[in-house]
Amino acid sequence: KGNPFLIRLSNKTIERLRCGLSITEVQAKNSTQKFGWVSRALHWLGVALIFYLYMGVTGLDAPPKNTLRDYYVTGHILFGLLFICLIASRFVWRQHNINPLLHWGLKEKKRTISLFTHRLLYLLAALTCATGIASAQSSIHLSVILHSVLSSALLIALAFHVLVAISNFWSKTT
């Protein structure tokens, strides 16, 4: 009866879509159970920046050289500097907040792998940015190669992180 285009969702489906949170339960700071909205916002802003940093310069060195190459490289450098600021912000935020991961009751091996992976991601991201700045400031070919190698390593580590996150998400929801 009524509008045939109206989709009726069960309360359980609505709860899953809302991730079990009401607007009043969303907190800025982390708790022992979950990350706060600031941590999540910094995380997803980082994801967006990394996506732009990779996609914005992909293929620029392949012939023929694009006439807008300098424009894209400048944007890459500026967003790389912004990403450094984001890493610093996340580091400071993390120092003043609880890490929920430490309170989730993970097995020691899984917790160690998770902490190591996150620290490796931070290290690779910082080194990638540092070598990017070095390669932009000098004509030393080694810094360009190092930047390329580190950015590839960062991409591989991020792919591993995403696969584990998806696996953990599905194992909790199924």
Side-chain angles (χ1 to χ4, degrees):
K1 294 181 179 179
N3 188 342
F5 298 104
L6 184 64
I7 299 172
R8 299 194 190 279
L9 300 174
S10 69
N11 287 339
K12 186 176 181 179
T13 304
I14 292 170
E15 277 300 307
R16 281 191 172 188
L17 291 172
R18 288 190 315 151
C19 300
L21 297 174
S22 69
I23 299 301
T24 58
E25 292 174 340
V26 177
Q27 298 177 354
K29 294 191 101 179
N30 298 345
S31 70
T32 55
Q33 291 85 28
K34 59 188 167 203
F35 290 97
W37 70 262
V38 173
S39 292
R40 291 177 189 211
L42 290 171
H43 174 268
W44 289 108
L45 182 58
V47 170
L49 282 172
I50 288 173
F51 183 77
Y52 172 80
L53 287 167
Y54 275 102
M55 301 314 285
V57 295
T58 300
L60 286 183
D61 288 332
K65 298 280 187 183
N66 190 336
T67 57
L68 296 175
R69 183 182 188 282
D70 290 341
Y71 170 78
Y72 288 114
V73 170
T74 301
H76 183 78
I77 292 168
L78 289 174
F79 278 92
L81 292 171
L82 182 61
F83 188 66
I84 290 172
C85 293
L86 180 75
I87 292 170
S89 299
R90 284 189 72 168
F91 182 75
V92 169
W93 183 255
R94 276 231 140 143
Q95 298 307 307
H96 298 286
N97 274 275
I98 295 170
N99 186 349
L101 182 102
L102 300 175
H103 303 277
W104 286 345
L106 297 174
K107 293 180 182 173
E108 184 66 29
K109 182 179 179 183
K110 196 170 189 178
R111 183 175 51 210
T112 302
I113 290 170
S114 180
L115 290 172
F116 173 78
T117 302
H118 282 94
R119 289 175 182 152
L120 178 66
L121 286 170
Y122 282 121
L123 179 65
L124 285 172
L127 290 174
T128 301
C129 290
T131 57
I133 291 169
S135 64
Q137 297 297 318
S138 70
S139 59
I140 300 172
H141 191 63
L142 179 62
S143 61
V144 174
I145 292 171
L146 194 54
H147 181 65
S148 179
V149 168
L150 285 169
S151 62
S152 296
L154 178 60
L155 192 60
I156 291 167
L158 286 170
F160 174 76
H161 173 66
V162 168
L163 289 172
V164 170
I166 290 169
S167 171
N168 287 337
F169 176 79
W170 284 113
S171 68
K172 279 196 280 186
T173 59
T174 56

